[in-house]
Amino acid sequence: MPNNISFTDSLEKIPVEIFKTPKEGSRYVAEQISVLIKEKNSQGKKAVIGLATGSTPKSLYAELVRMHNEEGLSFKDVITFNLDQYYPMEADALNSYHYFMRKYLFEQTDIDPKNYFLPNGMIPKDKIKEHCADYERKIEEAGGIDLQILGIGINGHIGFNEPGSPMYSKTRLISLDNSTRMANSQEFGNISEVPRMAITMGISTIMKSKKIILMAWGKTKAPVIQKAVEGNPTEEIPASLLQHHDDCSFVLDEFAASDLTRFKSPWLTGECEWTPKITRKAVVNMALQLNKPVLSLTDHDYNESGLSDLLVEKGNAYDINLEVYYMLRDSITGWPGGKPNAVIPKHPERSEPYPKKVIIFSPHPDDDIISMGGTFMRLHDQGHDVNVAYQTSGNIAVTDEFVTRFLDFAVGFEKIFHIDDTISKKVFETSSKFLKDKKSTEQDSPEIREIKGLIRRCEARATCKYVGLTDDQIHFMNLPFYETGTIEKKPMGKEDVDITVELMRKIKPQQIFAAGDLADPHGTHKVCLDIILAALNRIKSEPDNEWLNDCYVWLYKGAWEEWDISEIEMAVPMSPEQVRKKRYGIFIHQSQKDSVPFQGSDEREFWQRAEERNANTANLFAQLGLTKYAAIEAFVRLKSALEENDL
């Protein structure tokens, strides 16, 4: 069931259902599809369903397949029409939506192949208009779409109706917006491989559907969801036009819903419990909007910003300002492992034990230095036993050209030093030939994946040595869920958790740092965090877990975003020299410089993202009236595993 909200927010112009996880939201939508199919079939009719592709509906299709296998849900009397298709794109290509739908739904159910329809991505250009008109006719002949499933792009597109698409547009060929191509490049490996055009149902076609459900998961969708739900309907945000539909709802997870006013500024909705966390969020947001230091805010500012209830609850602005200022001040520390031999009640970390055993979990072989390189170095320099655990090999994020460079080096090395290794030569020859003949849609061979993994391990080990760690403090976990050879990963499994539990038991850390960056477009960070939490929960339920009582878990953000300043619980400042040192540590990862496969919609290199993010965090603290630093790395603490019933 969706989370119940005790008020109806007049700001929300489209009904919204919010779930804790995408899986729960998908189950809710799948149930509605099941009810529709059964109702139509009981009337002797076929249910007509419009389907979407991309990462969003994968969990929906998985649930429908489960219902088919375990609950007998039949698709024999179902007709489907897909929203869109890349152009040009062969039906059997790995990135084709024909291939996607067969893989995730059609071939795993009993749907009649004659009953599912998708635009033809290889239709000759001079036949496209006729093909699109025929697609519209087929929908009408089927009786119209009973339920249309939608996703949403970060620019607000639905189907491939990009910003500016007319309200009355029909199925047609469209040029893809650059932001869409950048976002979708994660599925292709390189933006140059993403088609520039697509055939899509028009907005008018979508709006004729009897019922519409738009699904969205993740923090990256939050800004556009807020605009679509709370803003004015405009063709510049095509999803906002759904406000004109009589039966449309949005199904979101908590992250996608996080920018809605009820969550971002609950005090504006009329119902708000003034906890310290909410108070800090409200005051910080107000100070930033007014461009004032926290201590300069006045009663008038509170009243004009909709915070008069906070004044009534807590008194005058002066007292509230001090309360929030002290929260911000006390989060800043140059001692991320705790300051030894010091009693600082409000310090984010404990002074004892000292030195601490620390595990820095790094989802990819460079997240440690990119996301918390300054803190990483400071923990080591301050005498703590720092261990880095690289959770995945990161082998898909190495270009073939980079592998070729290393193969050439290895061959040249053997020639110079007259090394006669028949096995190595055979591997080099086989690998070189594979890369030479490799097709753009072809997956890497096991040998190439091993070489790419080796390249990343060498870079990660060199970074740790640069910081000062020894070999026994560097751990390559190579979690199995990642090793598919493609961007799409397996769900976490027991073996992933087993490996993580074993490492934790071996080290028994007092501090754990983990990636809480759920904006990672590929989902690897989310799976890695889930594995850590599952491992902690297992250890919690077993004997010999006393060390867990004294373990703090700190979450950092990765290359994709930063914590909101109102959420930060530990802020570690960096000097200009420390910023430079961190940059040089990132540079060691040469395979990730210049051009990186699957880097998402942000064209900046990782070191640039890190420096700009860290500098921006420092500037925000200074803007609020705190000391101005060159850069700040930020963390939020996860409650101790033994303080909660479930993580």
Side-chain angles (χ1 to χ4, degrees), residues 3-51:
N3 295 338
N4 291 321
I5 302 298
S6 59
F7 57 86
T8 301
D9 189 351
S10 62
L11 291 173
E12 295 177 11
K13 301 168 186 176
I14 297 176
V16 174
E17 302 286 2
I18 302 169
F19 294 82
K20 187 174 180 62
T21 66
K23 187 174 182 179
E24 292 176 15
S26 297
R27 190 179 302 127
Y28 171 78
V29 177
E31 185 58 39
Q32 293 198 52
I33 292 174
S34 174
V35 169
L36 170 66
I37 292 172
K38 292 172 183 176
E39 283 182 353
K40 297 290 286 190
N41 291 171
S42 69
Q43 300 167 8
K45 300 178 181 178
K46 289 181 169 66
V48 183
I49 304 173
L51 298 177

Side-chain angles (χ1 to χ4, degrees), residues 571-587:
V572 182
M574 301 165 65
S575 68
E577 179 57 34
Q578 289 167 327
V579 171
R580 282 193 295 273
K581 190 174 180 182
K582 173 177 175 175
R583 183 194 307 165
Y584 298 151
I586 297 174
F587 283 177

